[in-house]
Amino acid sequence: MNTSSIKNFDELPLFLNAQLVSRTLGVSPSSAYELLHEDGFPSLRIGSRLVVPKEQFRLWVERQTGGAHEE
């Protein structure tokens, strides 16, 4: 299993690509690409690229875990 190389939410850029989603969640790149195409995941198409707004990603994680974000 991959481990996350991201240690702090503030380290993330405003938009995450599949590679960053993969590294942040500690999943394989293919799993990240699948996630970017799932209904309910906050991806945004810009040209041929799919990206995820940082804040929407954080909110999605909160919804998936059933908890509130604590800092």
Side-chain angles (χ1 to χ4, degrees):
M1 180 168 131
N2 293 336
T3 58
S4 175
S5 62
I6 306 298
K7 303 300 179 198
N8 186 322
F9 181 73
D10 293 330
E11 293 177 9
L12 295 173
L14 289 177
F15 293 93
L16 289 70
N17 60 18
Q19 179 184 12
L20 276 171
V21 170
S22 171
R23 287 176 41 209
T24 303
L25 295 177
V27 300
S28 69
S30 61
S31 294
Y33 280 106
E34 287 179 24
L35 189 57
L36 284 166
H37 288 92
E38 277 189 16
D39 289 339
F41 191 75
S43 59
L44 171 67
R45 183 171 296 281
I46 299 177
S48 62
R49 297 185 66 214
L50 285 173
V51 296
V52 183
K54 174 178 161 175
E55 185 61 23
Q56 294 302 311
F57 179 72
R58 184 186 67 78
L59 293 172
W60 178 84
V61 170
E62 284 184 17
R63 286 192 304 272
Q64 299 309 303
T65 60
H69 179 70
E70 295 182 27
E71 293 189 16

